[in-house]
């Protein structure tokens, strides 16, 4: 009878009473279990890679437990959620980060050592998840870590690219791009959700008969692709909360091309079906230029449409009226890449939910928020109308309708100022009629963010001035930040231990404000000793890497000088290389007595160039050509070395950044929206040599000019300098080093000619010549400071101590309060 039968729940409790255990025996059992049954190797014989896989699965099990609890808790509490839409997430490796955030790093390390493995060695087996290009993409990853740690109910959305960013291979000093088969060996960190799928539709026509404004229109699409969810749990630190990064993979749909099947063209139908998967196969490797490619647009719409369906499904599970939507949903557009979401939500609300235009519009205006990451007008995305109209005809109509109403409204407010109306219109008339995605995003978002104070000023006075004058209240800025979990705890364990020791607490890992406490010890000799020791350990690690990679032995006594980031003219890697040539030239011309005074340097440059960006690729080649000359000059020895680190990515950064003594951030003032690399170096006690641009302005406020090496024209000086054109005076030293390149001192004379032409004869848009003297002075100041190691160490400690403001925890907190209006929702232990 009923009473005798155990309930299902009781039975489950009997079988599985609570969570996985983290004592050494349980962990070892779990690892061996996964070796045997998941990896399908014998538990008596498995190598490092198989051990890594088994370990990753054991960690994943623990992530899943917390993930379930978190999702259940969110479901029960139904808080307002932030949906973070971003086309790029540069996650890097997951293992070390996960075990640290789960608080079980040491337990796993012990468990493994008894089995004869080392956690650090296994961690090296993991490939990088490189679903993104540069700053924007890594920022998204840092913000996910902070959202989880601060208990915010957040979901990240993107498409699941099969190949991440290309692998950079250098042959004879030239960059080659290779496919990164990072998923070939499986990805233990993602969970395939075969039951979470949505159809995503493309092409077709919109039926003419307008039902009416209330009921919307009917879109008859021609192609359907299935979006399948892959969930990536993101664990918070010091909390049970584990949030989700949901990536959509494209799979052929059953409805796909039935026509061909029916007409008997079986083979072509199958080939066509496979094409669906192309949507999520690649990542566009250019972070700055938009070519209006159909595939790119498909990718954007694909992930946006699946995400919007998912969000609306979740909302409808708990609510019966859309009037509550803005109270429960914040939709964040990370740059304009996901901004089709605006038209998609509008389409769903009007055409499918039949809310009527005005009600739907009201909802739109209360849910979207937008952050732009760019400074230049050329960087803004424009989608040709023809392209959009063919791929997404209904969305184009909706955008036209939004624009029509907007322009009418605008005319009432600003009159018939046609130039301004044209600038603000979402539809740009021109040779190629296009949609200005930034205008759409600004119009439809209730908050528009810049990523540093300088950036925000440029937005409101230049780029989006017209909009700012109309709606000043919409504009905000949140200075970027990076997560100290990844950039100190994971990447620099020795520094992490040292900081905790001197602060007497590990609280700074969750609450960065504690870091400031280091300031009071900045002059302490004992700390200096330990601090220098930590730097040395990290320099040894980096030197070993350099040697393994290039065969070059570098001296640990030299100052390790690093510039790693995407290669762009505005970031001025060329200025760095010209400075290195100058240094080389000076040393060559010195007598013995002067040489003794030279501070030895190891100059390290790294970064990828977009495959189609010729100038950036030439800069990489020049770097190699100069390195070849210098490194093989026995006259120079350890006084100067130049190394290019290939395939710079998150895991290489984890190795390079802690080992740097000084790092360079050389953007022409007014060109770097924020910059986040500098923040990582700063946290690791690396001194900055920088222009007063982007977030550096705010870093100066925290660290003080005296503890940095600043140079170059200021933002407000740049345009006047440019206007001088050929009349702009450049120092002789500059002309001399450029001449060396021109004359073929480093070979490849013809190949480098255009690089030289770009910076001489009034063509020097990025002002390398104008800033050269001041750059060399900053370098000389750095040399001088390095000689006084006590002073240098103090500056280094003060850099770390003052880096707290640049934690993404602070950024995310500001977003939560001022932009998204969300509250923490902490999963009970
Ligand atoms: C970058 C900006 O160039 C950089 O200054 C900023 O720190 C970073 O975004 C994060 O905000 N922009 C991109 O990576 C990009 O793709 C479209 O911009």
């Amino acid at each position: 009878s009923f009473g005798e039968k155990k309930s299902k729940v009781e039975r489950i409790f009997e079988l599985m009473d609570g969570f996985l255990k983290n004592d050494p025996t349980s962990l070892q059992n779990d690892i061996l279990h996964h070796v045997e049954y998941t990896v399908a190797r014998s538990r008596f014989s498995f190598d490092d890679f198989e051990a890594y896989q088994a370990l990753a699965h054991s960690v994943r099990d623990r992530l899943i437990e917390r993930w379930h609890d978190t999702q259940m808790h969110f479901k029960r509490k139904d808080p307002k959620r932030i949906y973070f839409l971003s086309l790029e997430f540069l996650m890097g490796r997951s293992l070390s980060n996960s075990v640290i955030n789960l608080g079980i790093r040491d337990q796993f390390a012990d468990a493994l050592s008894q089995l004869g493995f080392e956690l650090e060695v296994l961690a090296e087996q993991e490939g990088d998840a490189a679903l993104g290009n540069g700053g924007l993409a890594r920022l998204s990853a840092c913000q996910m870590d902070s959202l989880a740690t601060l208990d915010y109910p957040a979901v990240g959305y993107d498409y699941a690219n099969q190949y991440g960013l290309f692998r950079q291979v250098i042959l004879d000093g030239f960059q080659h791009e290779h496919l990164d088969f990072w998923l070939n060996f499986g990805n233990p960190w993602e969970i395939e959700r075969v039951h979470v799928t949505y159809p995503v539709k493309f092409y077709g026509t919109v039926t003419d008969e307008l039902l009416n404004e209330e009921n919307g229109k009917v879109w008859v699409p021609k192609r359907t692709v299935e979006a399948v969810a892959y969930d990536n749990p993101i664990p918070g630190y010091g909390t049970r909360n584990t949030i989700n990064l949901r990536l959509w993979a494209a799979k052929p749909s059953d409805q796909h091309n039935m026509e061909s099947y029916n007409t008997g063209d079986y083979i072509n139908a199958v080939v066509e079906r496979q094409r669906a998967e192309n949507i999520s196969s690649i990542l566009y490797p250019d972070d700055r230029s938009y070519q209006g490619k159909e595939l790119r647009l498909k990718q954007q719409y694909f992930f946006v449409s699946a995400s919007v369906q998912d969000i609306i499904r979740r909302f409808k599970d708990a609510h019966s009226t859309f009037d509550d939507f803005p109270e429960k949903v914040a939709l964040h557009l990370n740059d304009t890449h996901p901004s089709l979401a605006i038209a998609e939500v509008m389409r769903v609300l009007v055409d499918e939910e039949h809310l009527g235009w005005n009600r739907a519009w009201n909802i739109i205006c209360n849910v979207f928020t937008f952050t732009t990451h760019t400074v230049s007008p050329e960087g803004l995305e424009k989608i040709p109308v023809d392209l959009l109209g063919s791929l997404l005809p209904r969305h184009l109509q909706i955008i036209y309708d939004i624009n029509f109403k907007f322009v009418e409204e605008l005319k009432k407010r600003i009159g018939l100022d046609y130039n301004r109306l044209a600038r603000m219109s979402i539809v740009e008339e021109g040779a190629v009629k296009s949609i200005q995605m930034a205008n759409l995003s600004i119009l439809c978002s209730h908050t528009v963010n810049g990523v540093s104070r300088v950036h925000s000023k440029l937005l409101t006075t230049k780029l989006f001035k017209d909009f700012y004058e109309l709606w000043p209240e919409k504009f905000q800025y949140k200075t970027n930040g990076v997560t100290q979990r990844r950039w100190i705890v994971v990447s620099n364990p020795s520094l992490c231990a040292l900081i905790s020791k001197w602060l007497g607490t590990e609280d700074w890992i969750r609450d960065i404000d504690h870091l400031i406490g280091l300031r009071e010890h900045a002059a302490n000799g004992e700390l200096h000793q330990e601090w220098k020791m930590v730097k040395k350990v990290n320099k040894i690690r980096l030197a070993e890497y350099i040697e393994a990679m290039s065969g070059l032995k570098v001296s640990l006594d030299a100052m390790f000088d690093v510039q790693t980031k995407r290669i762009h003219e505005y970031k001025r890697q060329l200025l760095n290389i010209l400075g290195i040539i100058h240094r080389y030239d000076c040393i060559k011309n010195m007598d013995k007595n002067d040489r003794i005074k030279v501070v030895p340097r190891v100059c390290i440059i790294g970064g990828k160039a977009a495959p189609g960006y010729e100038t950036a690729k030439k800069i990489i080649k020049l770097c190699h050509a100069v390195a070849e000359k210098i490194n093989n000059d026995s006259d120079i020895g350890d006084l100067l070395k130049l190394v290019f680190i290939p395939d710079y990515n998150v895991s290489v950064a984890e190795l390079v950044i802690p080992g740097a003594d000084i790092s360079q951030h050389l953007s022409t003032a007014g060109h770097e929206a924020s910059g986040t690399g500098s923040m990582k170096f700063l946290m690791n006690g690396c001194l900055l040599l920088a222009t007063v641009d982007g977030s550096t302005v705010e870093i100066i406020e925290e660290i003080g000019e005296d503890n940095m090496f600043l140079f170059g024209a200021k933002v407000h000086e740049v345009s006047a300098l440019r206007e001088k054109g050929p009349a702009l005076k450049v120092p002789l030293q500059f002309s001399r080093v450029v001449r060396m390149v021109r004359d073929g001192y480093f070979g490849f004379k013809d190949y480098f000619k255009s690089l030289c032409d770009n910076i001489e004869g009034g063509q020097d848009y990025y002002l390398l010549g104008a800033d050269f003297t001041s750059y060399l002075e900053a370098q000389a100041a750095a040399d001088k400071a390095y000689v006084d190691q006590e002073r240098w160490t103090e500056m280094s400690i003060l850099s770390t101590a003052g880096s707290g403001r640049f934690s993404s925890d602070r950024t995310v907190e500001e977003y939560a309060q001022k932009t998204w209006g969300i509250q923490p929702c902490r999963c009970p232990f």
Side-chain angles (χ1 to χ4, degrees):
S1 73
F2 191 78
E4 284 163 7
K5 223 174 169 182
K6 276 202 190 97
S7 78
K8 184 172 140 193
V9 175
E10 275 174 300
R11 179 66 185 140
I12 290 172
F13 269 119
E14 239 176 53
L15 292 169
M16 274 180 80
D17 62 336
F19 300 115
L20 291 170
K21 302 197 174 34
N22 294 322
D23 58 280
T25 308
S26 306
L27 293 179
Q28 287 167 350
N29 257 321
D30 279 2
I31 295 169
L32 292 180
H33 183 92
H34 279 297
V35 168
E36 188 86 25
Y37 302 110
T38 308
V39 186
R41 297 293 295 180
S42 158
R43 62 191 179 280
F44 298 104
S45 154
F46 54 99
D47 64 16
D48 279 351
F49 182 66
E50 288 145 5
Y52 155 71
Q53 287 180 306
L55 172 63
H57 277 279
S58 316
V59 176
R60 166 195 159 117
D61 292 344
R62 285 156 176 82
L63 285 170
I64 290 175
E65 285 182 340
R66 291 166 193 240
W67 188 90
H68 278 148
D69 289 354
T70 311
Q71 302 314 314
M72 265 207 341
H73 185 65
F74 288 173
K75 194 163 183 184
R76 218 171 21 240
K77 294 276 170 183
D78 190 29
K80 180 175 184 180
R81 290 176 171 87
I82 167 65
Y83 294 106
F84 193 93
L85 306 182
S86 178
L87 197 63
E88 299 192 10
F89 286 89
L90 213 39
M91 303 305 288
R93 291 173 173 160
S94 285
L95 178 65
S96 301
N97 190 244
S98 296
V99 291
I100 284 169
N101 279 14
L102 294 175
I104 48 177
R105 192 212 157 272
D106 294 346
Q107 291 89 320
F108 263 115
D110 288 349
L112 282 165
S113 76
Q114 284 182 10
L115 294 176
F117 292 94
E118 241 183 274
L119 181 62
E120 277 72 32
V121 175
L122 299 195
E124 291 291 317
Q125 300 291 319
E126 185 176 352
D128 268 43
L131 313 181
N133 276 284
L136 171 152
R138 181 55 223 177
L139 184 78
S140 316
C142 283
Q143 294 189 343
M144 286 303 285
D145 181 79
S146 291
L147 283 164
T149 299
L150 300 178
D151 301 316
Y152 284 113
V155 184
Y157 281 113
D158 194 358
Y159 73 102
N161 27 115
Q162 195 182 347
Y163 309 109
L165 186 56
F166 65 88
R167 214 153 44 79
Q168 180 192 50
V169 175
I170 306 287
L171 294 174
D172 288 335
F174 291 99
Q175 168 178 300
H176 294 255
E177 301 88 29
H178 287 195
L179 266 188
D180 182 8
F181 294 98
W182 74 290
L183 287 178
N184 268 14
F185 300 101
N187 177 6
W189 306 106
E190 69 184 13
I191 302 153
E192 187 183 18
R193 301 269 175 220
V194 279
H195 59 284
V196 184
T197 74
Y198 299 97
V200 177
K201 299 171 177 165
F202 298 100
Y203 304 106
T205 47
V206 180
T207 53
D208 260 350
E209 87 285 358
L210 173 69
L211 302 175
N212 58 43
E213 275 233 327
E214 291 305 301
N215 292 333
K217 293 194 183 187
V218 179
W219 170 28
V220 188
K222 218 171 146 194
R223 285 280 159 79
T224 303
V225 170
E226 215 61 45
V228 180
Y230 284 76
D231 288 344
N232 297 255
I234 312 288
Y237 176 91
T239 171
R240 205 169 167 74
N241 278 40
T242 298
I243 59 174
N244 197 8
L245 171 60
R246 178 160 279 184
L247 308 178
W248 302 103
K251 298 277 150 85
S253 146
D254 280 348
Q255 297 148 37
H256 191 86
N257 213 0
M258 289 303 285
E259 193 67 19
S260 307
Y261 285 106
N262 295 340
T263 54
D265 191 358
Y266 176 72
I267 298 294
N268 264 332
V270 173
V271 170
E272 267 292 291
R273 279 174 58 97
Q274 307 256 289
R275 246 183 237 156
E277 292 177 17
N278 285 350
I279 293 181
S280 56
S281 69
I282 56 161
L283 168 85
Y284 278 86
D286 194 334
D287 53 352
R288 241 28 77 122
S289 73
Y290 301 100
Q291 293 150 339
K293 290 275 190 275
E294 187 181 46
L295 180 57
R296 167 85 167 190
L297 192 61
K298 271 190 182 163
Q299 293 179 333
Q300 295 185 346
Y301 180 66
F302 170 75
F303 105 83
V304 155
S305 166
S307 307
V308 166
Q309 293 181 65
D310 201 38
I311 292 162
I312 289 184
R313 195 257 316 135
R314 189 174 298 119
F315 175 80
K316 283 171 81 172
D317 279 352
H319 299 268
S320 51
T321 161
F322 274 98
D323 295 331
D324 300 341
F325 201 64
E327 262 109 75
K328 294 295 170 188
V329 172
L331 267 167
H332 190 66
L333 305 173
N334 196 33
D335 218 286
T336 54
H337 317 149
S339 57
L340 281 171
I342 294 166
E344 175 67 356
V345 174
M346 200 65 193
R347 187 189 67 79
V348 173
L349 296 184
V350 174
D351 293 359
E352 293 178 5
E353 302 291 339
H354 308 299
L355 253 55
W357 184 277
N358 290 338
R359 235 178 110 198
W361 178 245
N362 196 33
I363 290 171
I364 294 282
C365 296
N366 285 298
V367 296
F368 280 100
T369 62
F370 169 51
T371 293
T372 170
H373 297 264
T374 200
V375 167
S376 72
E378 303 83 63
L380 299 176
E381 230 178 349
K382 290 180 183 170
I383 301 183
V385 161
D386 288 348
L387 178 63
L388 186 59
S390 116
L391 191 71
L392 300 167
R394 178 58 181 139
H395 296 78
L396 180 61
Q397 279 185 354
I398 289 173
I399 292 173
Y400 273 145
D401 288 350
I402 291 175
N403 194 45
F404 179 78
K405 288 173 209 278
F406 169 54
V407 174
E408 288 306 302
E409 192 57 40
L410 203 53
K411 283 182 193 157
K412 284 190 212 144
R413 290 192 55 174
I414 66 167
L416 297 181
D417 176 348
Y418 285 109
N419 283 333
R420 186 166 172 203
L421 286 172
R423 287 196 304 265
M424 295 180 78
S425 169
I426 298 170
V427 183
E428 185 186 58
E429 306 288 340
V432 181
K433 193 171 174 183
S434 8
I435 303 299
Q436 317 203 58
M437 299 310 266
N439 292 12
L440 176 69
S441 305
I442 297 172
L443 165 63
C444 302
S445 299
H446 59 78
T447 311
V448 175
N449 275 285
V451 289
S452 73
R453 195 189 317 133
V454 173
H455 184 219
S456 167
K457 181 113 184 278
L458 290 168
L459 295 180
T460 55
T461 59
K462 291 212 165 81
L463 218 55
F464 302 139
K465 182 164 179 277
D466 295 312
F467 287 98
Y468 177 68
E469 283 167 3
L470 194 64
W471 303 304
E473 68 286 354
K474 272 195 189 191
F475 286 79
Q476 305 182 350
Y477 74 91
K478 312 275 175 290
T479 301
N480 285 163
V482 301
T483 165
Q484 67 268 30
R485 267 86 55 191
R486 168 80 53 167
W487 296 108
I488 302 180
V489 186
V490 172
S491 65
N492 198 342
S494 332
L495 184 65
C496 174
L498 185 62
I499 294 174
S500 299
K501 176 183 157 192
W502 281 81
L503 293 179
T505 170
E506 288 188 345
D507 289 354
W508 61 275
I509 301 175
R510 231 186 112 83
D511 181 0
I512 194 84
D513 289 347
H514 290 279
L515 214 52
I516 203 85
L518 284 176
R519 263 191 200 156
E520 65 184 80
H521 308 293
N524 186 314
E526 203 183 317
L527 174 59
H528 279 207
Q529 282 317 314
E530 296 176 16
W531 197 267
K532 281 192 272 191
M533 204 50 187
V534 166
K535 186 54 82 184
K536 186 152 188 194
V537 167
N538 289 315
K539 281 173 83 167
I540 292 174
R541 202 165 61 140
L542 177 52
E544 285 172 355
Y545 182 75
I546 291 173
E547 189 175 352
M549 183 193 68
S550 65
L552 191 72
K553 268 196 163 51
V554 296
S555 156
L556 294 175
D557 295 329
M559 185 198 300
F560 280 21
D561 163 350
V562 178
Q563 187 185 22
T564 42
K565 48 185 82 221
R566 284 301 286 260
I567 313 286
H568 268 283
E569 286 158 277
Y570 85 84
K571 292 181 189 281
R572 299 201 293 190
Q573 281 91 355
L574 188 52
L575 179 61
N576 187 359
I577 298 170
L578 294 175
I580 291 167
I581 298 176
H582 174 77
R583 180 177 290 267
Y584 172 65
D585 190 38
C586 289
I587 298 174
K588 290 278 307 169
N589 292 315
M590 270 178 197
D591 61 33
K592 253 200 185 139
N593 291 339
D594 283 335
R595 284 195 181 200
I596 299 169
K597 293 184 210 138
V598 171
V599 175
R601 285 237 192 177
V602 176
C603 301
I604 297 163
I605 297 181
K608 295 179 184 177
Y613 190 174
E614 263 314 303
T615 305
K617 290 182 137 177
K618 288 189 179 190
I619 292 172
I620 291 177
K621 174 63 189 170
L622 179 63
C623 181
H624 284 91
V626 173
E628 174 89 17
K629 185 94 185 169
I630 296 177
N631 299 346
N632 292 314
D633 189 337
S634 55
D635 197 21
I636 297 293
D638 279 342
L639 291 185
L640 184 61
K641 289 274 175 274
L642 171 57
V643 191
F644 186 90
I645 297 212
D647 204 36
Y648 187 65
N649 58 20
V650 176
S651 47
V652 175
E654 287 170 25
L655 187 95
V656 171
I657 293 172
D661 289 307
I662 192 167
S663 74
Q664 303 198 37
H665 307 277
L666 312 179
S667 57
T668 313
H671 284 268
E672 193 68 272
S674 160
T676 45
S678 53
M679 300 168 180
K680 298 162 198 165
F681 283 101
L682 197 69
M683 281 184 177
N684 283 277
C686 166
L687 305 197
L688 305 188
L689 191 150
T691 48
V692 185
D693 194 20
S695 59
T696 305
V697 174
E698 287 148 86
I699 293 178
I700 296 168
E701 291 168 3
E702 300 300 303
I703 313 295
E705 278 188 33
D706 296 348
N707 295 313
M708 305 166 68
F709 306 100
L710 301 170
F711 78 98
K714 305 282 190 322
V715 179
H716 65 274
E717 295 164 344
V718 164
S719 57
L721 287 169
R722 265 183 197 146
E723 269 159 31
K724 289 191 181 167
L728 184 72
K729 283 234 165 343
V730 295
L732 278 175
Q733 295 153 320
F734 182 74
S735 308
R736 181 174 161 83
V737 291
V738 178
R739 169 102 350 245
M740 287 169 78
V741 178
R742 266 196 199 287
D743 287 351
Y745 194 83
F746 306 99
F748 301 89
K749 198 169 152 185
D750 295 340
Y751 184 69
F752 294 140
K753 181 175 179 300
S754 67
L755 280 186
C756 301
D757 291 347
N758 275 347
I759 52 172
E760 282 191 321
Q763 302 298 307
D764 188 10
Y765 185 75
Y766 293 104
L767 302 173
L768 279 72
D771 278 349
F772 200 62
T773 306
S774 137
Y775 176 62
L776 295 182
E777 282 164 9
Q779 288 286 13
D783 285 331
K784 197 163 160 224
Y786 196 71
V787 176
D788 181 355
Q789 274 291 305
E790 289 319 303
R791 171 74 190 116
W792 184 276
T793 306
E794 187 175 351
M795 288 164 86
S796 168
I797 297 169
L798 290 172
S799 296
T800 304
S803 67
R805 182 164 151 201
F806 308 101
S807 165
S808 45
D809 293 350
R810 191 261 316 135
T811 314
V812 155
E813 197 74 68
E814 285 180 14
Y815 269 109
Q817 287 169 19
K818 296 189 192 137
T819 298
W820 299 327
I822 52 166
Q823 304 292 326
C825 184
R826 191 175 170 92
C827 194
F829 271 87

